[in-house]
């Protein structure tokens, strides 16, 4: 869809402001009632989904020219989709997040991208990673010495896909390593993709670089197919979303699982057994791209039509992505199964979780905004009395680790696999 | 039009560079389409409210005062907005700035005096969630919990399902702090004499009627910066329990809460039951809510909304389902009530009273609405009022019309005729949703204890479809005539037609003079003129404040 195809939605958005808040039925306090990092940080109406519709309408109707500020508004969105869930509590004919992304793509197409974004895309093209400065040749270094199969040479049940962040971040590499070791220890027939292991490019999509995303994705899909990959398991929620939703839309027919799903099945099968107590209280942060955006892709081709004079429906039934069936329970079940561990929930969880601030490439393009967003999450986590915050995405982990609460406090951040390993 | 760099700088010095903008992109997002949220004066295709010269976000009362003083210095019109849902929050003339109150959001619960002292951005959900921690709830207007309490109380109505029990915002309004349009700071009631916030009338100046009038002054008379709002008891848990799969959330509340859909054989019995509810102080919340989807569609719509896997495309199939048809027919004339027991005996008494009402009025309870998941969904819906954007679910826009408000019995006697009038339009025109004619929705009462009803018929149209917008507008013109022919007062869909022009701009004073000189009581508007002269000498508001030049009062009425 092009931006102009969203024009009907721009008219039909009812200006209700629900997209600025978590679903109202879930509000437990004024402090944690809001959902959109962008308007919370930048304050003007323009930054909320409603404002984005209005802005886009004026651009499409050619009443407005790009300014630097408009470019800022458009790109300073973490693509977290919280607005989308909130809007769809009542509306069945608006796709707010798709619109936000299309607006970014429109800006990019018109040449309005940040230099940093261009660097990221440049790096994607030259080194197949969106972390500028990193080299393709160093990508697999995190797995040195592990006895995993090389899928370019032999077949395996599972392709373990660490993703750029786990592959390159020296603080996080050990987690990817531990994940893979755990799989191997449990007897899982897992391997690595070797030369076919490249950036998923999900962030390019989240930043509105649709062509660059598609280009990389199509190459990756061909490489996965050539390697005979049957199941991809990834501990990165961004990669998970890219494969599960975006690649599936491009026709990829490979089973995709997040590491937490696999881990849960290993615990359920008795292949992972805990022997140690972990007497601590933790809270769990739902990564946007695993939770509300982690619903599987459902193919659809159709059109809208009106019934009963004016009621707007889709024919055939259009899949409705509203976060209802994201991955929320697997990580919680894992945490609950760890002896001695107590899970204290935050107010904003599951489909209405607050974003960590790293999405949409914001951790690269606007570190202050990104870090403030993570700080909000730490403040909320601290309010539960938890001693640590646990999550299942390297981008969230990195962002939460480097940020602090509004009162300056920090909180230990763990990947869920780290806690599992501690309790083995 | 732009602010001069010097004037911009002066505003910027008040709030800091982060909280002021004149970027065209930002300004564009502070405009309203009268094809979408006209709020009873449209809908009008292809217009927008004017572009403000700047948007400013004040962070405290002093900043608001500084901004208003500057506006007076340079004769710049201004308007404050909360959620910016309806057209009234947006400016109506070119040389104007928009204030967005979102930075002012403090809440203080005064448990002893059973009230909350709140800032302008505090909405119903924020306040209710904080109040519940202390065993209180707050009145939430029918617009829903996304709306600012201060905006609803000072700028507009403030009535909804809870009003019959809790009183409306205007009844609950205690002391307040108000930056007058001339830049002076006024604290009314006890806040004006340093005695706290518990009373709106004094000791201290009692001027709240200037601000609130009957429907509020729509942001045309300065900015309210703080307000004390009375709370009422909440006999439920400190956190509203909300379970279920999005969007079919539901509340699993203890046994002292029940939600019933009470159904009637006739409008007479319907009205009789309503008065019995008033007399017995029965209900915690009362509304004819789900009929907004229409007499023919409500059963199917409730099935959709309570099932996370259903969508609007399931409507046709559900409509042909004999069981859904039966259930919908069963609740053709109905209203929803929530009973809340403060003690076990209180709940038993309330249940017994309800049984008595059912007997007296030949009424029954909708079986479908008693299904546990549906009852719990309806409970959550009515208590939190968090799903009000469902007003727009069908095709993206609606306007409420008829507004049969004069008297319960008179209104009830016209209900079927109004429904038939609308149904005929639905059958002969494609501009509005065909939902069975009767799509009347409204709260039990505009005032605490009951009495004044407020009913509107939902006219759903597509804001993207010119024919639908203009057709909806034509229909409302027709219902306006229908109301006039029956001497039923103004049509609700046109109740604001003299407050803003179809093109989104303010009406000139001449138009107000022309209109308000002809009304039965022109003195009301001449008096408002005097109020405006006193506190708004530079005329920095717009035409949502109705005034008549006293010189224009007709001779025979002077
Ligand atoms: C879909 C819909 C349904 C509605 N249903 C009902 C209903 O059932 N009952 C009812 O009573 N009302 C109803 N209304 C009207 C509603 O109460 C008002 O629109 C309400 O005030 C909206 O609050 P808001 O936060 O959206 O305020 P806004 O739309 O932002 O502002 C509302 C008015 O208050 C003024 N205002 C805002 N802040 C201040 C301030 N700090 N000081 C002075 N003035 C201020 C604004 O200028 C504006 O005129 C409905 C409106 C809509 C759009
Ligand atoms: S995007 Fe959705 S939630 Fe936001 S204002 Fe529009 S209709 Fe309301
Ligand atoms: S995607 Fe997230 S950051 Fe972007 S507008 Fe929506 S809620 Fe805000």
């Amino acid at each position: 869809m092009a931006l102009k195809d969203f024009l009907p939605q721009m008219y039909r958005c009812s200006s209700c402001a629900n997209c600025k808040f978590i679903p109202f039925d879930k509000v437990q306090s004024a402090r944690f009632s809001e959902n959109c990092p962008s308007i919370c940080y930048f304050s003007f109406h323009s930054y909320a989904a409603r404002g984005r519709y209005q802005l886009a309408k004026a651009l499409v109707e050619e009443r407005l020219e790009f300014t630097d500020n408009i470019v800022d508004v458009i790109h300073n969105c973490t693509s977290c989709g919280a607005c989308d869930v909130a809007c769809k509590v009542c509306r069945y004919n608006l796709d707010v997040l798709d619109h936000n992304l299309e607006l970014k793509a429109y800006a990019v197409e018109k040449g309005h991208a940040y230099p940093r974004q261009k660097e990221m895309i440049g790096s994607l093209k030259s080194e197949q990673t969106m972390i500028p400065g990193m080299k393709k040749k160093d990508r697999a270094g995190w797995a040195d010495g592990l006895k995993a199969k090389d899928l370019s040479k032999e077949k395996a049940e599972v392709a373990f896909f660490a993703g750029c962040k786990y592959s390159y971040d020296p603080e996080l590499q050990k987690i990817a390593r531990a994940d893979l070791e755990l799989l191997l220890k449990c007897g899982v027939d897992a391997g690595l993709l070797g030369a076919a292991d490249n950036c998923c490019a999900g962030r390019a999509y989240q930043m509105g670089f649709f062509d660059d995303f598609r280009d990389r994705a199509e190459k990756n899909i061909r490489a996965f197919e050539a390697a005979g990959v049957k199941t991809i398991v990834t501990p990165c929620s961004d990669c998970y979303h890219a494969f599960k939703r975006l690649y599936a839309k491009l026709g990829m027919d490979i089973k995709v699982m997040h590491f937490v799903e696999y881990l849960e099945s290993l615990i359920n099968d008795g292949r992972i057994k805990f022997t140690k107590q972990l007497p601590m209280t933790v809270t769990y942060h739902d990564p946007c791209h695993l939770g509300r955006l982690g619903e599987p892709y459902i193919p659809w081709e159709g059109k809208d039509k009106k019934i009963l004079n004016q009621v707007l429906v889709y024919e055939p039934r259009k899949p409705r992505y509203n976060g209802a069936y994201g991955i929320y329970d697997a990580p919680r079940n894992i945490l609950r199964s760890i002896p001695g561990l107590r899970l204290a929930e935050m107010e904003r969880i599951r489909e209405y979780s607050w974003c960590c601030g790293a999405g949409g490439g914001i951790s690269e393009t606007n570190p202050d905004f990104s870090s403030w967003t993570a700080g909000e999450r730490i403040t909320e986590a601290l309010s539960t009395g938890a001693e640590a915050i646990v999550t299942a995405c390297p981008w969230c982990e990195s962002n939460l680790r480097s940020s602090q609460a509004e009162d300056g406090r920090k909180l230990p951040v763990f990947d869920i696999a780290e806690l599992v390993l501690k309790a083995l | 039009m732009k602010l001069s760099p010097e004037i911009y700088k002066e505003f910027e010095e008040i709030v800091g560079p982060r909280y002021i903008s004149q970027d065209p992109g930002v300004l564009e997002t502070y405009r309203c389409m009268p094809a979408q949220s006209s709020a009873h004066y449209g809908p009008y295709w292809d217009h927008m409210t004017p572009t403000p010269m700047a948007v400013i976000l004040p962070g405290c009362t002093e900043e608001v005062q500084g901004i208003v003083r500057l506006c007076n210095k340079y004769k710049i019109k201004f308007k404050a907005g909360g959620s910016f849902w309806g057209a009234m929050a947006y400016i109506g003339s070119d040389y104007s700035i928009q204030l967005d109150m979102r930075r002012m959001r403090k809440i203080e619960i005064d448990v002893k005096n059973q009230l909350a002292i709140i800032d302008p951005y505090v909405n119903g959900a924020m306040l209710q969630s904080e109040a519940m921690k202390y065993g209180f709830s707050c009145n939430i207007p029918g617009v829903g919990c996304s709306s600012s309490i201060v905006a609803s109380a000072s700028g507009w109505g403030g009535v909804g399902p809870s009003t019959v029990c809790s009183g409306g915002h205007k009844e609950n309004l205690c002391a307040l702090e108000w930056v007058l349009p001339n830049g002076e700071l006024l604290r009314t009631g006890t806040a004006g004499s340093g005695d706290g916030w518990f009373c709106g009338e004094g000791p201290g100046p009692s001027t709240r009627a200037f601000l609130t009038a009957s429907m509020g002054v729509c942001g045309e008379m300065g900015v309210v910066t703080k307000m004390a709002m009375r709370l009422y008891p909440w006999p439920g848990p400190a956190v509203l329990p909300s379970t279920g799969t999005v969007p079919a959330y539901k509340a699993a509340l203890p046994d002292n809460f029940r939600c019933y859909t009470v159904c009637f054989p006739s409008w007479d019995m319907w009205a009789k039951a309503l008065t019995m509810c008033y007399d017995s102080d029965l209900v915690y919340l009362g509304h004819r809510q789900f009929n907004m989807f229409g007499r023919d569609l409500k059963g199917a719509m409730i099935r959709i909304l309570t099932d996370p896997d259903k969508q609007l495309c399931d409507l046709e199939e559900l409509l042909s389902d004999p069981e859904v048809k039966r259930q919908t027919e069963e609740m053709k004339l109905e209203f929803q009530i929530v009973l809340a027991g403060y003690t076990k005996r209180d709940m038993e008494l309330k249940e017994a009273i309800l049984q008595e009402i059912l007997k007296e009025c030949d009424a029954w309870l909708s079986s479908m609405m008693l299904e546990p998941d549906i009852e719990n969904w309806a409970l959550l819906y009515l208590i939190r009022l968090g799903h009000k954007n469902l007003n727009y679910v069908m095709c993206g826009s609606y306007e409420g019309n008829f507004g049969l408000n004069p008297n319960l019995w008179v209104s009830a006697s016209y209900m079927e005729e109004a429904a038939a009038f609308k149904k005929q339009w639905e059958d002969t025109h494609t501009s509005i949703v065909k939902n069975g004619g009767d799509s009347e929705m409204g709260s039990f009462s505009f005032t605490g204890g009951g009495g004044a009803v407020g009913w509107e018929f939902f006219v759903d149209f597509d804001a993207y479809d010119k024919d639908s917008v203009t057709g909806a507008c034509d229909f409302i013109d027709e219902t306006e005539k229908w109301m006039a022919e029956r001497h039923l007062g103004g049509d609700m869909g046109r109740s604001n037609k003299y407050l803003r022009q179809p093109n989104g701009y303010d009406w000139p004073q001449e138009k107000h003079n022309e209109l308000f000189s002809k009304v039965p009581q022109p003195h009301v508007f001449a008096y408002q003129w005097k109020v405006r002269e006193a506190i708004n000498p530079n005329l920095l508001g717009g035409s949502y404040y109705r005034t008549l030049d006293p010189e224009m009062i007709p001779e025979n009425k002077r």
Side-chain angles (χ1 to χ4, degrees), chain A residues 247-288:
Chain A
Y247 282 35
K249 193 173 177 184
L250 295 176
M252 184 176 89
D253 187 19
I254 294 172
K255 187 171 175 190
V256 178
M257 290 177 85
H258 190 277
F259 188 70
V260 289
E261 294 178 281
Y262 213 87
L263 209 49
E264 189 194 25
S265 68
L266 292 175
I267 293 168
N268 289 345
D269 293 352
R271 286 205 269 173
I272 287 182
K273 287 202 173 65
F274 297 110
T275 59
K276 293 191 198 125
Q277 289 273 326
L278 221 54
M280 66 190 295
T281 301
V282 301
T283 191
Y284 176 72
H285 165 75
D286 289 278
C288 306

Side-chain angles (χ1 to χ4, degrees), chain B residues 20 48 53 93 103 108-109 148 212 226 251 271 290 298 329-330 333 346 381 397 404-405 420 452 477 483 493 496:
Chain B
I20 177 167
M48 293 188 83
M53 292 191 292
S93 60
R103 289 177 64 213
E108 190 190 323
I109 306 284
S148 147
T212 57
K226 219 173 254 307
F290 305 118
K298 61 189 157 188
E329 183 59 28
E330 187 191 37
L333 303 186
D346 181 39
Y381 187 115
S397 204
L404 293 161
N405 296 337
D477 287 341
M483 295 284 284
N496 290 339

Side-chain angles (χ1 to χ4, degrees), chain A residues 14 25 34 41 317 351, chain B residues 18 105 249 309 314 387 389:
Chain A
S14 40
D25 293 340
E34 290 175 282
Y41 186 74
R317 163 190 301 273
E351 71 273 11
Chain B
R18 198 181 163 94
R105 52 174 67 207
Y249 297 131
D309 296 325
D314 295 306
H387 291 223
N389 199 27

Side-chain angles (χ1 to χ4, degrees), chain B residues 244-299:
Chain B
T245 303
V246 60
Y249 297 131
K250 53 198 177 208
L253 282 161
D255 292 347
N256 61 328
F257 285 92
R258 290 305 304 259
C259 180
Y260 295 116
T261 290
V262 191
C263 313
F264 302 91
S266 68
W267 282 108
D268 269 358
M269 288 302 175
W270 189 95
K272 181 176 170 187
L274 211 62
T275 56
M276 289 179 79
C277 288
Y278 297 158
D279 292 346
S280 57
D281 272 343
L282 178 66
V283 303
Y284 193 72
L285 299 152
H287 213 73
R288 191 175 188 223
Q289 179 65 74
F290 305 118
N291 195 60
M292 70 183 190
F293 303 123
R295 178 177 284 181
D296 291 352
L297 309 191
K298 61 189 157 188

Side-chain angles (χ1 to χ4, degrees), chain B residues 164-175:
Chain B
V164 64
C165 173
S166 67
H169 277 355
K170 294 189 179 26
E171 292 166 271
N172 291 321
L173 180 54
C174 302

Side-chain angles (χ1 to χ4, degrees), chain B residues 457-530:
Chain B
F457 278 61
F458 268 50
V459 178
D460 300 311
F461 61 94
D462 179 358
Y464 179 63
D465 178 337
K466 184 179 177 188
D467 292 342
S468 181
V469 174
T470 51
C473 193
D474 292 345
F475 173 62
I476 293 165
D477 287 341
E478 289 303 308
T479 59
E480 192 183 22
K481 285 185 214 145
W482 185 92
M483 295 284 284
E485 281 161 13
R486 285 157 188 76
H487 308 289
L488 288 168
D491 186 277
M492 191 179 189
R494 285 281 171 270
S495 56
N496 290 339
K497 70 177 173 183
Y498 292 110
L499 304 188
R500 197 187 276 278
Q501 299 186 50
N503 66 5
Y505 276 75
D506 287 328
W507 285 107
Q509 182 67 45
E510 297 75 52
K511 183 74 180 178
H512 273 191
N513 288 345
E514 180 197 319
L515 174 76
F516 299 129
S517 57
K518 292 189 196 121
V519 298
Q521 292 164 321
H523 296 277
V524 172
F525 303 98
Y527 190 78
Q528 297 212 150
W529 169 286
K530 287 184 199 160

Side-chain angles (χ1 to χ4, degrees), chain A residues 19 35-38 47-49 52 76-83 97 100:
Chain A
C19 46
N35 67 348
C36 169
S38 188
Y47 289 84
R52 292 172 193 279
N76 276 311
C77 156
T78 64
S79 309
C80 70
C83 49
L97 177 61
N100 293 350

